[in-house]
Amino acid sequence: MLIATVGVHVLDTHVIGIESIPDASDGQLVETIRFSPAGTAGGTAVVLSRLGAEVTSFGAVGTDPIADTLLALLAREGVSTAGLVRKAELQTSASVIPVRPNGDRPAWHCIGANGAFTLADLDLAALEGITHLHLGGPEFLGGEAAGQLLAHARSIGATTSLDVLAPGDPDMLAWIADALPHTDFLLPNDEQVLGFTGAATLAEGARALVAAGAGCVAVTQGAKGALVVTADDVLEVPAYEIEVVDTTGCGDAFSAGFLRGLSLGLDHRGAAELGCATAAQVAQGLGTDAGSYTLASVQAFAAR
């Protein structure tokens, strides 16, 4: 699996043990503070690499220490960062995520260089030979440019997938609509599907997205698992029972596991099971790069 992950790259700072924001200038001791590579392209890239794919990331970062840290973390995971351009006038995208004892995770986020990434920053010749292109955050490119990129990927024989970062809203769906006919696999969460379509059920909403052009819609449902919908079929795969530490990056992990499963020849159910099993690894630690797992260990976990 030779995959280009294109789009949003973020450095996450997780803070564990937050019960409240201290008053005035008071301080508070916490359990853990940890950096991790994240984003609908960056986080997915890390997990795909752990699952044995050969991954090159494309996107935009700044020239700041945040970028240095993010690039180092991606490289440590075996992700090629050759496709990441550096924009001196902008900071690297970053988030601070305080995780409460009950697992809630509000966030502060800076869009930074992600908002400045365009197709002009991507050398299409660098995509030659890929078997897959995953676009995370098409809303930053806009539907027309995203559609052009996905169409090019298909023209060179690659499978395409799309993961939207923004919350579900009909206007957002209209903004990225031009990309859907060039998308083999759309990977939203349940709130996005219902928000995009106004449907009463997830299955109905996913069917609407298939009707809008997506070949297959694989929807994450948090603790309920995943729903996979095509023009001909609807199937549901349950999540695995685990002790959840932090759900940050679980959607990206599902995407990586699902896509990797397809690359290995699994059917939609088998790929969704691998996606849920991969997400379970991430949920048991902090961030997308939590813990230590491989394709073999995730397959063993899924088969238990």
Side-chain angles (χ1 to χ4, degrees), residues 8-16 32-40 42-44 46 66-67 69-71 73-74 91-99 105-111 114 165 246-252 282 285-290:
V8 173
H9 292 74
V10 182
L11 181 68
D12 278 355
T13 300
H14 306 267
V15 186
I16 301 299
T32 305
I33 299 176
R34 185 177 187 274
F35 293 149
S36 66
T40 43
T44 306
V46 166
I66 299 175
T69 302
L70 178 56
L71 293 175
L73 290 172
L74 289 168
Q91 82 147 79
T92 303
S93 180
S95 293
V96 177
I97 304 170
V99 182
R105 51 185 181 93
W108 293 281
H109 179 67
C110 179
I111 292 174
N114 282 326
L165 183 62
D246 175 27
T247 58
T248 306
C250 285
D252 299 329
V282 170
L286 293 182
T288 309
D289 61 342

Side-chain angles (χ1 to χ4, degrees), residues 241-296:
E241 292 189 11
I242 56 168
E243 184 174 341
V244 174
V245 173
D246 175 27
T247 58
T248 306
C250 285
D252 299 329
F254 173 83
S255 295
F258 180 77
L259 297 173
R260 186 69 176 113
L262 294 171
S263 79
L264 295 169
L266 300 181
D267 60 15
H268 288 164
R269 181 176 295 279
E273 289 172 347
L274 187 63
C276 288
T278 306
Q281 311 309 304
V282 170
Q284 294 177 82
L286 293 182
T288 309
D289 61 342
S292 177
Y293 55 88
T294 64
L295 175 61

